[in-house]
Amino acid sequence: MHIVVCIKQVPDSKEIKIDPKTNTLMRQGVPAVVNYYDMHGVEEALRIKDKYGARVTVITMGPPSADKALKQCISLGADEGVLVSDRAFAGADTLATSYVLASAIYKAADTWGPVDMIFAGKQTSDGDTGQVGPGIACRIDYEQLTYVQQIEDINPDTGELIVHRHLEDGVERVKTRTPVLITVVTELNTPRRASLPGMLRAARYTPIVWTTNDFEELDRSKIGLRGSPTIVSKTWVPEPKHVSTDMLTGTGNEVAATLVENLFGTELKHSLGWA
Amino acid sequence: MAEDKRRKMIGLQPEGDVDWSMYRGIMVVVEQRSGVAKPVSWQLLGEARRLADKLDAPLMALVMGQDVSHIAQQAIGYGADIVYHADAPELKDYRTRPYSRVCLKVIKTYRPEIVLMGATYTGRDLAGAIATHLPTGLTADSTQLDVDDERLLLASRPAFSEKMLATILCKQFKPQMATVRAGVFQALPYDEKRTGKIIAVHQDMHENDIVTKVLEFVQDDNRVNLEDAQVIVAGGRGLGGPDGFKLLHELANVLGGTVAASRAATDLGWIDHAYQVGQTGTTVRPKLYFAIGISGAVQHVVGMQNSDYIVAINKDPNAPIFQIANYGIVGDLFEIVPLLTKAFQERLTPVMAR
Ligand SMILES: Cc1cc2nc3c(=O)[nH]c(=O)nc-3n(C[C@H](O)[C@H](O)[C@H](O)COP(=O)(O)OP(=O)(O)OC[C@H]3O[C@@H](n4cnc5c(N)ncnc54)[C@H](O)[C@@H]3O)c2cc1C
Ligand SMILES: Nc1ncnc2c1ncn2[C@@H]1O[C@H](COP(=O)(O)O)[C@@H](O)[C@H]1O
């Protein structure tokens, strides 16, 4: 089995601040981390590898510094890490991203053998669309199962698998067949920590880099900013909700009574039906 | 072998004619399960009605499923002019392939200039596939919609952990697509006298050609539904352990609300992850939110700052949560919460029963 995991390095969101003067993001010096959900995809691929034997290829499209994220996956047990990186890929929206990642998955198949399963995260913390996974599946015509919280069964011989999808109102048990793309939620597993040999291997490992020149059939009008139909026309910081916090003081009984009185004095009385 | 290398790549060029002026009207894809439409679909029709009127264009709805003609009828009552109705056993449960097939066929035949879906799990699954196939631009999880003089869809959405809003356009292709967050827009009052056209959509699908099978759906009635909760009583590390949540349940019960938690509390295993509010949990916008023993880290705050009223209880007067709270109480939650429960109980119990 050959499993590809798509991971993305994202800015550590708790470190992102907004410049109050220019209303732009201050990204400088913001540390990068692997998108939270994607590590659950890596873990699931490694569990399948541990159980049935599989080759695990981790792919990311991003700047050269994203090689750190790949090394982290190598330290956990992934076989190869591919960095798809080129200035021409920059500024991609989900449509252009899915095109490049689909091309990279085809190339990974040519290099290491047919790809049976692809894992992607439910969504990223910066793009936050959840569209890239379905986009890749559509591009290369794989079955698509999103929001998977459990893989109940895999038959490595027939390629049949049963998964549980986590939906708003319940859980759906679905059966399908490889080749398949799965997007994962955090309930799926608990990511492991790197082992010492893993860390040693990662320290020596240099991720493979593919640039536009490595893709024979890449249509350059379909990548990067140029290949992205969506344009950000404007960004703004929403007016901070004007709150003048009312700090209630007094004994416990007093503050409790004051709070109840105050809340009953608002429109909540009607909207919550507190007759 | 050389042929093997030429791989299929879907969604590189729009198929067929590219006379974008042929695309007119707004289409809302209605989501349903077991014959019950999701509220977000009617909310979307409400907002799309406003946009369609502004564009002077028809409002269309696409209803897919098995035995869902009543939903097609409802779509008219909620504001649609034309409903495309695809009814087939293959469409009983949502599956990406049959649903996207019908959806693509309807889009290519009737050419809406804007297509909207709920930003639900199903909506995102389907929209991601459709937009790639067409191909066209897709804005995820919008919270504001508008159209301009050039008939461009202005879809605005939170970006960077809800710290900013961004307006996103697609000038290049049609239809312009967006998924829209539940609970943001309001449905029109249902008007059963409203009239409209229902057009049946036929497709030749065969179950044997569909690889993916839905084996069962286990409805989870206990599933925490934070998104729709009107009152949320959330607790954090300050609760000191799973027992602390009992206090919160008591308060929530009196208010008819739901308990929730910070990530610190879910990570410590005090309560299930499903209850987590925040960036990596659920984004909520109840009418009333209690943050109890929660410091107010940005990852938590982004998930609840749009609540109508926020009450914070924390023993640290400098806790950042107070900056966004309407009411703040500095004190020990173990003392305050039971008193609060009692005070609400007394106030909410009808005078007669006292
Ligand atoms: C990538 C990433 C994603 C994250 N996503 C989320 C997310 O989705 N949701 C989320 O919540 N967090 C998230 N976090 C974690 C977040 O940064 C904070 O660590 C977390 O929200 C803190 O939870 P807390 O407020 O319960 O705990 P703490 O920060 O420890 O706060 C506990 C508070 O309780 C108060 N307290 C203690 N005892 C009492 C008492 N007896 N009475 C009254 N007050 C008391 C203390 O003064 C303190 O303010 C994320 C972090 C990262 C890195
Ligand atoms: N640049 C990228 N490189 C590799 N994988 C990506 C990239 N962008 C998105 N993905 C994958 O697609 C998932 C969904 O991303 P998004 O659609 O941006 O929310 C992520 O969790 C990743 O698995």
Side-chain angles (χ1 to χ4, degrees):
Chain A
M1 231 186 309
H2 183 190
I3 306 174
V4 166
V5 190
C6 294
I7 66 160
K8 187 178 180 191
Q9 209 180 34
V10 294
D12 188 348
S13 61
K14 69 174 182 295
E15 308 283 340
I16 303 181
K17 303 221 164 43
I18 288 170
D19 185 329
K21 284 203 196 81
T22 58
N23 264 358
T24 50
L25 291 169
M26 304 198 291
R27 299 192 210 206
Q28 258 144 357
V30 177
V33 293
V34 177
N35 181 43
Y36 188 76
Y37 293 101
D38 301 353
M39 292 315 291
H40 294 270
V42 173
E43 175 63 29
E44 202 61 24
L46 294 174
R47 287 188 185 191
I48 295 171
K49 173 177 169 171
D50 293 345
K51 198 158 167 197
Y52 303 104
R55 167 178 274 284
V56 176
T57 306
V58 180
I59 298 182
T60 188
M61 178 182 89
S65 57
D67 67 347
K68 250 185 57 197
L70 294 170
K71 285 186 148 211
Q72 186 184 336
C73 300
I74 296 291
S75 75
L76 299 174
D79 296 287
E80 300 289 351
V82 179
L83 174 63
V84 184
S85 191
D86 199 304
R87 290 198 99 98
F89 294 136
D93 72 357
T94 54
L95 194 68
T97 302
S98 72
Y99 175 50
V100 173
L101 289 173
S103 306
I105 287 163
Y106 277 155
K107 192 171 168 67
D110 290 338
T111 316
W112 297 289
V115 175
D116 306 285
M117 289 176 100
I118 303 167
F119 285 104
K122 172 192 175 203
Q123 64 196 64
T124 52
S125 60
D126 61 345
D128 192 6
T129 76
Q131 286 163 200
V132 170
I136 296 170
C138 174
R139 293 276 194 199
I140 63 180
D141 207 16
Y142 274 33
E143 291 300 312
Q144 148 185 345
L145 294 176
T146 47
Y147 311 109
V148 169
Q149 65 168 29
Q150 190 192 331
I151 299 186
E152 184 188 303
D153 187 44
I154 299 184
N155 184 331
D157 302 321
T158 61
E160 279 181 320
L161 64 155
I162 296 176
V163 308
H164 299 194
R165 295 182 64 220
H166 179 103
L167 302 175
E168 286 95 348
D169 47 356
V171 174
E172 189 181 66
R173 252 178 98 230
V174 191
K175 184 173 162 181
T176 196
R177 220 175 24 238
T178 55
V180 61
L181 179 139
I182 288 175
T183 77
V184 304
V185 296
T186 52
E187 285 82 356
L188 184 61
N189 56 41
T190 308
R192 67 190 63 189
R193 290 172 188 281
S195 63
L196 192 58
M199 286 193 272
L200 290 174
R201 172 155 186 261
R204 287 190 307 261
Y205 183 83
T206 315
I208 296 157
V209 181
W210 290 340
T211 68
T212 42
N213 295 330
D214 293 293
F215 297 96
E216 282 163 33
E217 294 180 26
L218 203 72
D219 179 344
R220 286 174 191 244
S221 71
K222 300 283 181 284
I223 63 171
L225 198 58
R226 197 148 63 106
S228 300
T230 58
I231 1 180
V232 179
S233 77
K234 152 171 122 155
T235 59
W236 76 97
V237 178
E239 281 292 307
K241 202 175 93 178
H242 186 72
V243 278
S244 48
T245 309
D246 203 347
M247 296 301 288
L248 310 178
T249 51
T251 65
N253 271 314
E254 283 163 6
V255 291
T258 320
L259 180 65
V260 172
E261 247 5 270
N262 277 325
L263 289 174
F264 267 79
T266 68
E267 79 258 15
L268 288 176
K269 185 175 172 191
H270 301 288
S271 60
L272 292 177
W274 292 343
Chain B
M1 280 312 274
E3 260 151 67
D4 271 350
K5 291 207 137 200
R6 298 195 69 86
R7 313 263 199 168
K8 175 151 76 171
M9 183 68 79
I10 292 170
L12 281 179
Q13 293 295 341
E15 280 169 36
D17 70 89
V18 280
D19 178 4
W20 298 128
S21 67
M22 301 286 287
Y23 286 69
R24 254 181 87 82
I26 302 182
M27 193 172 98
V28 170
V29 180
V30 174
E31 182 180 340
Q32 58 88 24
R33 174 182 301 285
S34 313
V36 182
K38 297 272 151 106
V40 64
S41 306
W42 305 145
Q43 294 161 7
L44 260 175
L45 274 179
E47 177 67 2
R49 182 72 260 172
R50 182 182 74 83
L51 302 179
D53 291 342
K54 208 167 159 185
L55 290 172
D56 191 20
L59 175 55
M60 304 168 256
L62 170 58
V63 173
M64 296 175 275
Q66 183 182 23
D67 300 330
V68 288
S69 51
H70 59 290
I71 298 183
Q73 198 60 51
Q74 286 168 0
I76 296 196
Y78 280 112
D81 302 312
I82 306 169
V83 180
Y84 301 108
H85 170 210
D87 222 295
E90 293 82 9
L91 300 173
K92 179 173 171 285
D93 298 299
Y94 171 78
R95 286 174 293 173
T96 313
R97 281 193 197 264
Y99 270 68
S100 37
R101 190 169 154 158
V102 173
C103 208
L104 285 165
K105 177 175 167 178
V106 170
I107 290 173
K108 285 175 187 165
T109 313
Y110 299 104
R111 301 194 182 109
E113 61 200 298
I114 293 171
V115 173
L116 304 173
M117 302 189 196
T120 56
Y121 288 174
T122 299
R124 289 192 190 213
D125 184 290
L126 180 61
I130 302 287
T132 311
H133 214 291
L134 283 165
T136 190
L138 169 62
T139 303
D141 204 24
S142 317
T143 55
Q144 290 178 28
L145 297 176
D146 212 344
V147 286
D148 71 5
D149 299 341
E150 294 168 54
R151 305 182 81 86
L152 285 173
L153 174 69
L154 314 175
S156 303
R157 58 162 311 195
F160 295 99
S161 315
E162 320 251 337
K163 289 189 184 72
M164 295 185 102
L165 278 169
T167 303
I168 296 174
L169 312 176
C170 168
K171 295 185 176 171
Q172 202 177 343
F173 301 122
K174 294 256 165 48
Q176 312 162 77
M177 287 184 63
T179 60
V180 180
R181 199 177 279 185
V184 182
F185 296 114
Q186 287 217 305
L188 298 170
Y190 185 69
D191 177 0
E192 59 180 50
K193 294 200 193 66
R194 241 186 134 266
T195 53
K197 245 194 313 191
I198 298 181
I199 296 173
V201 178
H202 299 286
Q203 65 291 304
D204 46 311
M205 280 186 297
H206 296 286
E207 190 54 49
N208 290 344
D209 303 333
I210 306 172
V211 173
T212 298
K213 310 285 177 200
V214 174
L215 302 177
E216 62 180 323
F217 176 72
V218 184
Q219 175 105 17
D220 186 351
D221 291 325
N222 297 325
R223 174 63 62 82
V224 235
N225 186 352
L226 297 179
E227 273 122 333
D228 295 333
Q230 307 266 33
V231 177
I232 290 180
V233 182
R237 201 195 305 265
L239 291 181
D243 285 348
F245 278 95
K246 288 193 190 130
L247 292 179
L248 302 200
H249 273 294
E250 287 163 14
L251 178 56
N253 282 345
V254 168
L255 293 170
T258 308
V259 164
S262 73
R263 175 152 158 206
T266 59
D267 276 357
L268 287 161
W270 297 350
I271 186 167
D272 191 77
H273 173 77
Y275 290 88
Q276 184 188 314
V277 168
Q279 183 200 318
T280 43
T282 307
T283 301
V284 299
R285 49 172 68 221
K287 300 209 154 60
L288 178 57
Y289 189 97
F290 290 87
I292 300 174
I294 292 177
S295 60
V298 314
Q299 295 91 345
H300 187 80
V301 166
V302 295
M304 46 68 78
Q305 61 193 353
N306 291 320
S307 309
D308 291 350
Y309 286 89
I310 296 170
V311 176
I313 303 172
N314 198 304
K315 66 180 181 191
D316 172 8
N318 297 318
I321 191 74
F322 286 124
Q323 290 166 21
I324 60 149
N326 302 79
Y327 297 101
I329 297 175
V330 178
D332 181 5
L333 70 93
F334 294 100
E335 182 204 346
I336 306 287
V337 175
L339 293 173
L340 209 50
T341 306
K342 197 164 128 256
F344 270 113
Q345 201 159 27
E346 283 169 4
R347 187 66 204 258
L348 286 166
T349 311
V351 185
M352 292 295 290
R354 257 186 229 163

